[in-house]
Amino acid sequence: QVQLVESGGGSVQAGGSLRLSCVASAASAFPYSKYCMGWFRQAPGKEREGVATIGTGVKTYADSVEGRFTISRDNTKNTLYLQMSSLKPEDTAMYYCAAGDWFTLEPSRMSFWGQGTQVTVSS
């Protein structure tokens, strides 16, 4: 079982920036570098959607965040990041970190989830 803990959420004005982090851990050693990691978000009344995913040397982004968000990972620290810039009110959501075997933006394909961190963008 893999535990994921997100941090870095908060409230910002439109145009601002935030950096989310997600630390992965497990009761025993696990191959963090081999997992695909992703950021997903869910706004009130909406379905959970993929934001960005990173594998080994590959990344992909949702069209809505392309050019504004950057996903990265530090395998030496078992940590995933999401640098968010030029934030818009429509980016307001609970942001979740997830891990899985699939390189995908499809939430149902991910195996492990964090508890989420709230991002609120005001106009």
Side-chain angles (χ1 to χ4, degrees):
Q1 189 75 9
V2 176
Q3 288 80 46
L4 303 171
V5 179
E6 304 96 333
S7 61
S11 297
V12 296
Q13 291 193 327
S17 299
L18 280 174
R19 188 195 195 202
L20 306 184
S21 298
C22 171
V23 179
S25 63
S28 57
F30 70 104
Y32 175 79
S33 63
K34 295 184 179 181
Y35 280 101
C36 288
M37 301 295 298
W39 288 99
F40 298 78
R41 67 186 181 187
Q42 188 166 18
K46 295 188 176 181
E47 293 187 353
R48 191 169 298 189
E49 63 176 359
V51 175
T53 299
I54 184 168
T56 301
V58 291
K59 305 177 184 180
T60 192
Y61 298 90
D63 290 343
S64 58
V65 306
E66 181 81 57
R68 300 188 297 121
F69 291 9
T70 301
I71 189 171
S72 62
R73 66 191 295 170
D74 185 340
N75 291 336
T76 66
K77 298 179 179 179
N78 289 359
T79 302
L80 178 72
Y81 303 99
L82 184 68
Q83 178 66 47
M84 305 186 293
S85 302
S86 302
L87 283 162
K88 305 175 181 180
E90 51 263 44
D91 294 319
T92 295
M94 184 72 77
Y95 282 71
Y96 298 91
C97 168
D101 296 323
W102 298 90
F103 179 68
T104 179
L105 289 173
E106 173 53 52
S108 64
R109 294 288 188 135
M110 304 305 281
S111 301
F112 305 103
W113 292 87
Q115 82 291 347
T117 185
Q118 178 68 38
V119 171
T120 303
V121 184
S122 58
S123 57

